[in-house]
Amino acid sequence: MVDTISARTGLLMGVLEERLKGNGKLIRSQAFMIPPGGGTEWDVPLERITRLTE
């Protein structure tokens, strides 16, 4: 996966979604990524990442 703003690449490890309790409307989504080969995990808004094309 690649962050379209910073151009950092990494493996998608998980996604955290925040929703309203009453109607379940999605408020925001955060993606958690780690660099290839390991290292420090970082988070980025889910809408900023896309699949890396080779």
Side-chain angles (χ1 to χ4, degrees):
M1 304 301 285
V2 62
D3 179 348
T4 57
I5 303 292
S6 70
R8 287 180 75 181
T9 61
L11 303 171
L12 179 64
M13 299 306 293
V15 174
L16 178 67
E17 292 182 335
E18 289 186 58
R19 295 183 176 270
L20 292 175
K21 189 174 184 177
N23 62 8
K25 181 180 176 185
L26 182 64
I27 298 172
R28 94 178 146 149
S29 299
Q30 286 291 113
F32 294 89
M33 299 173 57
I34 60 169
T40 304
E41 183 179 280
W42 77 94
D43 65 314
V44 63
L46 185 61
E47 59 271 1
R48 277 184 34 186
I49 65 170
T50 186
R51 186 172 288 225
L52 184 64
T53 56
E54 297 181 31

